[in-house]
Amino acid sequence: RVDRRQRQMCIRDRYWHWHSIHNACETYWKGILSHDLQENAIYREVSQIGKSFEALSDKLIHLKKTNQVAIMVSNEALTALNWFQIPGGKTSYNDVVRWIYDALYEQNIECDIIWTDETNLNAYKVIFVPALYSAPKEVFERLSAFAANGGTLVATFKTGFTEFCATIDEEKSAATAHKDKYLFFITP
């Protein structure tokens, strides 16, 4: 049997199931230990990984990957596009985000996912903005400043259409800025 100290080590390292669950439908959710709670191959492998992490911890502790590309996401845009759907009703906000992410992934371009309240946009060379239908004016001002300062901003259809409360600012909307051409920029 595995002793209490070993069990605490595993819990400390945040493994979800220390052992397999013994009842109901969760019986088939396997843990590091099987139902007999005896040391096994999985336990030994997890122990080896833990030992490797411990040996390398001084080198790993402040390790950080800095990506040069980001995708800006917004729960407000998601909600607004649930109310005011993309024509046809088959394409959701999450579909548009996923199209961009998948394209970057297929090109082996690592990216961060950032929220609209991110203020350090200059940490990136490229920011993708999928269907940012609704956002506060300040977000669009930060994105414009990012592009004006040399950053590359790639915005999809349905971006910059409304302000935070899903209202159109007729003086500053994308439709006003681009007159009749904007009508062709509303569907995928």
Side-chain angles (χ1 to χ4, degrees):
R1 284 196 168 287
V2 177
D3 69 21
R4 184 172 172 225
R5 183 176 167 273
Q6 291 168 319
R7 185 178 304 205
Q8 287 173 333
M9 277 179 47
C10 191
I11 291 169
R12 183 193 74 209
D13 291 337
R14 295 185 184 101
Y15 288 101
W16 176 247
H17 289 297
W18 170 242
H19 63 78
S20 298
I21 306 300
H22 290 122
N23 61 336
C25 65
E26 295 178 354
T27 299
Y28 302 101
W29 295 2
K30 299 299 284 183
I32 294 169
L33 297 178
S34 192
H35 291 100
D36 63 5
L37 303 179
Q38 299 299 310
E39 184 177 312
N40 58 35
I42 296 171
Y43 170 82
R44 287 187 290 278
E45 187 171 340
V46 168
S47 296
Q48 182 57 47
I49 292 168
K51 288 175 187 170
S52 297
F53 281 157
E54 184 177 23
L56 296 170
S57 64
D58 60 328
K59 293 179 175 73
L60 298 175
I61 193 156
H62 296 292
L63 186 64
K64 182 175 180 350
K65 173 73 171 108
T66 303
N67 291 318
Q68 297 180 359
V69 176
I71 301 173
M72 181 177 279
V73 297
S74 164
N75 282 330
E76 292 79 13
L78 180 143
T79 301
L81 284 174
N82 282 338
W83 294 337
F84 306 101
Q85 294 183 353
I86 295 169
K90 295 182 182 177
T91 303
S92 72
Y93 175 79
N94 287 333
D95 291 330
V96 181
V97 172
R98 190 61 195 243
W99 291 338
I100 293 172
Y101 180 83
D102 288 350
L104 293 172
Y105 179 83
E106 288 169 9
Q107 295 296 314
N108 199 27
I109 299 172
E110 298 170 335
C111 66
D112 289 341
I113 304 296
I114 59 174
W115 296 100
T116 52
D117 61 359
E118 176 65 49
T119 56
N120 188 20
L121 300 182
N122 291 327
Y124 302 98
K125 290 184 178 180
V126 180
I127 297 176
F128 289 86
V129 183
L132 186 57
Y133 182 79
S134 182
K137 182 172 41 175
E138 296 79 20
V139 173
F140 297 116
E141 289 170 352
R142 283 197 312 275
L143 290 169
S144 293
F146 167 76
N149 291 331
T152 301
L153 181 64
V154 181
T156 69
F157 57 93
K158 288 287 191 179
T159 293
F161 200 82
T162 67
E163 290 191 11
F164 186 67
C165 294
T167 57
I168 295 173
D169 180 348
E170 59 279 345
E171 293 179 18
K172 295 184 181 178
S173 74
T176 302
H178 301 289
K179 304 207 184 326
D180 59 87
K181 294 177 189 165
Y182 191 77
L183 295 174
F184 301 109
F185 197 56
I186 60 171
T187 58

